Amino acid sequence: MSSFLSDASIRPLRNNFTRGQSRTSQGLNSLVEEIARTIIPVLVMGENGTGKEAYGRMIHRLSKYSHLPLRKMI
């Protein structure tokens, strides 16, 4: 796991969401880290229950805009 995502200052997300340990989850975590460092708006899409909101919140939390409200489209 990258040191950026495993930083002790990053707390588990709401609803007991935790970061997975599989190779796929690790790849997604690396992508989240890369996205969070950009200023590009992000649209997260997927099936219900796949963690879209959790990963969106993680991207926001790790970004330089974390002090601002998260803009969520429904």
Side-chain angles (χ1 to χ4, degrees):
M1 177 178 292
S2 75
S3 61
F4 190 67
L5 283 177
S6 62
D7 183 356
S9 67
I10 302 198
R11 304 220 182 335
L13 299 172
R14 193 173 64 147
N15 298 330
N16 297 319
F17 178 81
T18 58
R19 295 178 291 276
Q21 300 300 315
S22 71
R23 187 182 314 185
T24 302
S25 293
Q26 294 300 314
L28 185 54
N29 290 342
S30 293
L31 184 59
V32 163
E33 177 182 335
E34 289 177 38
I35 291 169
R37 291 180 176 157
T38 71
I39 60 169
I40 300 168
V42 177
L43 174 63
V44 182
M45 297 172 54
E47 300 286 327
N48 287 342
T50 57
K52 295 179 301 293
E53 185 171 347
Y55 273 102
R57 289 185 182 284
M58 187 183 301
I59 292 167
H60 181 69
R61 183 180 298 166
L62 296 174
S63 77
K64 68 179 184 178
Y65 300 106
S66 62
H67 65 285
L68 299 172
L70 174 63
R71 291 175 39 188
K72 180 175 144 182
M73 296 174 53
I74 298 176

